[in-house]
Amino acid sequence: MATAPAHSNTLGLLTAAVGVDAVITDPAEREFYAQDVYTLGPDPLGIFRPADTDMLARGLAAIADTGVAIVPRGGGMSYTSGYVAPEAGALIIDMAAMDRILEINETDMTVTVEAGCTWHKLYDALHPRGLRTPVWGTLSGIKANIGGGMSQNGLFWGATHGTIAPCALSMEVVLADGTVMRTGSAFLRPFGPDLTGLFGSDAGSFGIKAKVTLPLMRDATAFAYGSFAFDTPDQITAAMSQVAREGLASECFGFDPFLQAQRMKRDSLTKDAKQLVGMMKSQGGFWKGIKEGAKVVAAGRSFLDEATFSAHLICEGRHQGAVDADMRRVEEIVAEAGGTKVENTIPKVMRANPFPPVNSMVGPDGERWVPVHGIVRHSRALETIETIGALYERHGAEMERLGVGAGYLILTVGRTGFLIEPVFYWPDEMQEMHRRSVEPDHLAKLKGFPANEEARALVATLRQGVIDIFGDMDGVHFQIGRAYPLEARSDPKAWTLLKAVKRAVDPEGRMNPGALGLE
């Protein structure tokens, strides 16, 4: 592990190399950059905000002999201590200023971006051209950036193609000593051993992504939306798994009763004019948009009041007839599993406005919020959900006493994976991360809560219990950070190789020490 800086003038060396404007030392800013959505960490030495690859490399080279730990930070949406240093005195690398879209190449069907570009910014640039990347962001994409996605991995939009990190064609990476290296080929992966993949999902422990090249695809022009209600978890998991196996839907996600109720309390599907107008525009024609918008208004928020579990699906493609046929097959699968069709408001609004404000990082009254997740094979999805439910039952009295609520999101990943994301809410004080991330008008409406260490400790216990359950179910994770036990779930020989790679690219262990469990 990297030790405290051996050079007393680290910030002086850095400032001399990159200029004073790129280095932040204000105490309040250092305290803010020490926290993610869930964890409060020790204060960093400072924050380095490079403007381009050359500045990033120059700055890191200038402090290469100081011993200071280097911790890259993307959009700040980690909840697994991905950029929360284990010790005080680290240098945070804030990539927010490196957010340019460098090239959209419609001939070769690639796009190259600086790593600080958000998924929302890339979507806004590609969507008018009828283009997208295969996996095109997380729900926090208004803040989450592409470099963070490559480092932490993740998924939501385009999950039928898998997770984010494998989508990269090539990367430009800056190592801890300032060395700049490029991986693979700019148009096809892999070219030789897959070095691009090596730097994917590394939690920034191998190097800092400076630029990323992604493949492009034509966006869909035909859509069909479906929402369905189920009485039991075995029904919804059976239906969603079959839809995934047959490759029918581009998006297939669902909520349990608790999370569904939280969403209905928090979101107004009829009063958000921006969402409604966006949804109408996305329908591909004025009169069709008016018709679909009217359905959303008519449905309001009552269409799921009686549902126990709900699933929401989008089928998309180039021809409406083919897309409608896929949705008819989805409806057959749902009926066979015991589900019923309900108004499809949620997928319409979400697809039209894929990157909403991150107000959901707190509960409807300002409760603290944290998810934990795992991806299992289809054959273990129901067993995993039932085992997590049993964990909650064992702690039920304590959860009720302390006001800790728990629900889960489920999502299919490609044809082989089933993601289960338990989510916890509890009464506790918000931190600066929440106050800066939630929209001011929304924040002003929240009741808020005082500090609640007892509830926080229970959530930590439950969260660890869920992680242990995923281990028992042979589950895997993205956004590993410092939360998930990678070494314990790796082949010992593979782990030895991973440590050897770490030594090769970061011999002093200065790059995000402790991430992935690597020292």
Side-chain angles (χ1 to χ4, degrees):
M1 177 183 292
T3 58
H7 198 293
S8 60
N9 193 31
T10 299
L11 291 178
L13 290 171
L14 179 63
T15 301
V18 303
V20 66
D21 291 341
V23 182
I24 300 168
T25 58
D26 176 76
E29 291 303 293
R30 289 191 292 115
E31 182 180 359
F32 168 69
Y33 278 90
Q35 57 190 262
D36 73 358
V37 174
Y38 180 59
T39 307
L40 298 178
D43 284 357
L45 177 69
I47 299 95
F48 171 28
R49 184 177 292 159
D52 53 36
T53 303
D54 180 67
M55 180 186 284
L56 173 58
R58 193 167 68 248
L60 294 188
I63 61 171
D65 296 330
T66 65
V68 68
I70 306 298
V71 180
R73 181 186 188 273
M77 294 293 100
S78 170
Y79 53 83
T80 57
S81 304
Y83 59 84
V84 177
E87 297 179 359
L91 181 69
I92 302 293
I93 312 299
D94 176 17
M95 296 297 290
M98 290 180 59
D99 68 343
R100 289 174 285 272
I101 299 172
L102 301 174
E103 181 188 38
I104 299 173
N105 189 327
E106 295 192 49
T107 300
D108 296 331
M109 291 296 280
T110 62
V111 59
T112 300
V113 302
E114 290 182 319
C117 177
T118 65
W119 293 103
H120 182 264
K121 182 174 181 176
L122 181 59
Y123 173 83
D124 279 351
L126 295 178
H127 187 62
R129 299 171 181 245
L131 297 170
R132 52 170 271 206
T133 55
V135 181
W136 49 286
T138 59
L139 285 176
S140 57
I142 196 168
K143 291 187 175 291
N145 64 33
I146 292 163
M150 294 300 149
S151 293
Q152 290 280 66
N153 208 357
L155 83 173
F156 193 84
W157 295 114
T160 186
H161 296 280
T163 59
I164 286 171
C167 286
L169 293 171
S170 63
M171 300 179 188
E172 183 176 87
V173 181
V174 182
L175 303 183
D177 63 358
T179 299
V180 180
M181 64 171 293
R182 296 172 182 83
T183 69
S185 158
F187 70 95
L188 192 66
R189 175 178 167 189
F191 176 46
D194 190 10
L195 293 182
T196 301
L198 185 67
F199 285 91
S201 305
D202 71 333
S205 63
F206 289 171
I208 301 175
K209 285 77 178 165
K211 299 175 185 175
V212 181
T213 298
L214 294 158
L216 293 173
M217 58 184 287
R218 288 291 166 191
D219 205 352
T221 54
F223 300 87
Y225 304 89
S227 290
F228 307 94
F230 300 86
D231 292 327
T232 60
D234 61 306
Q235 293 175 336
I236 192 171
T237 54
M240 289 178 61
S241 288
Q242 188 59 32
V243 168
R245 284 189 289 264
E246 295 189 23
L248 295 168
S250 59
E251 320 295 340
C252 180
F253 56 93
F255 307 115
D256 86 315
F258 178 84
L259 198 57
Q260 183 172 280
Q262 296 294 92
R263 185 171 185 84
M264 292 301 105
K265 279 191 245 178
R266 183 174 58 241
D267 291 344
S268 172
L269 298 176
T270 61
K271 294 182 180 179
D272 190 332
K274 291 181 181 178
Q275 285 192 333
L276 184 58
V277 170
M279 189 278 292
M280 291 166 66
K281 287 180 178 178
S282 75
Q283 299 303 313
F286 176 78
W287 291 113
K288 184 177 181 182
I290 292 294
K291 179 181 178 182
E292 296 301 325
K295 289 181 181 178
V296 171
V297 173
R301 287 188 292 168
S302 63
F303 61 96
L304 286 172
D305 285 349
E306 303 303 320
T308 307
F309 299 86
S310 68
H312 310 279
L313 295 90
I314 304 172
C315 298
E316 58 183 57
R318 293 181 297 168
H319 303 290
Q320 193 63 48
V323 168
D324 290 340
D326 285 342
M327 186 55 71
R328 286 194 295 272
R329 175 58 186 146
V330 168
E331 292 172 357
E332 290 175 358
I333 291 170
V334 167
E336 291 167 2
T340 57
K341 186 176 178 180
V342 296
E343 180 57 45
N344 53 10
T345 300
I346 286 178
K348 286 179 182 176
V349 172
M350 290 181 66
R351 182 61 172 79
N353 298 272
F355 303 116
V358 292
N359 297 336
S360 58
M361 67 188 298
V362 294
D365 291 319
E367 300 92 340
R368 286 289 300 276
W369 162 93
V370 68
V372 61
H373 77 272
I375 305 173
V376 298
R377 64 195 74 189
H378 292 294
S379 59
R380 306 206 77 170
L382 178 60
E383 180 185 6
T384 303
I385 289 172
E386 290 177 339
T387 306
I388 292 171
L391 171 71
Y392 296 164
E393 288 180 9
R394 291 196 298 274
H395 292 271
E398 196 176 8
M399 291 173 69
E400 184 173 357
R401 178 176 66 84
L402 295 173
V404 176
Y408 56 84
L409 164 76
I410 53 180
L411 179 78
T412 56
V413 186
R415 284 171 168 76
T416 60
F418 198 106
L419 178 138
I420 303 164
E421 184 175 83
V423 177
F424 298 101
Y425 294 87
W426 73 101
D428 199 353
E429 65 178 345
M430 288 182 279
Q431 303 297 332
E432 185 66 14
M433 167 62 70
H434 307 99
R435 289 188 285 270
R436 291 198 192 187
S437 300
V438 174
E439 289 181 305
D441 60 341
H442 183 78
L443 186 66
K445 300 174 185 177
L446 301 178
K447 179 174 69 174
F449 299 90
N452 191 335
E453 293 185 8
E454 190 177 9
R456 197 180 314 150
L458 175 59
V459 169
T461 297
L462 294 169
R463 192 169 180 249
Q464 186 57 54
V466 171
I467 292 172
D468 292 342
I469 288 169
F470 281 120
D472 294 339
M473 300 295 171
D474 298 321
V476 299
H477 307 274
F478 50 79
Q479 199 184 138
I480 293 170
R482 293 172 174 82
Y484 299 110
L486 181 61
E487 179 180 5
R489 300 185 193 174
S490 298
D491 179 276
K493 294 183 179 60
W495 184 253
T496 298
L497 177 59
L498 194 66
K499 291 196 295 183
V501 172
K502 171 71 170 174
R503 289 193 297 270
V505 297
D506 182 24
E508 296 182 2
R510 297 172 54 233
M511 186 62 72
N512 210 5
L516 303 186
L518 291 166
E519 300 299 333

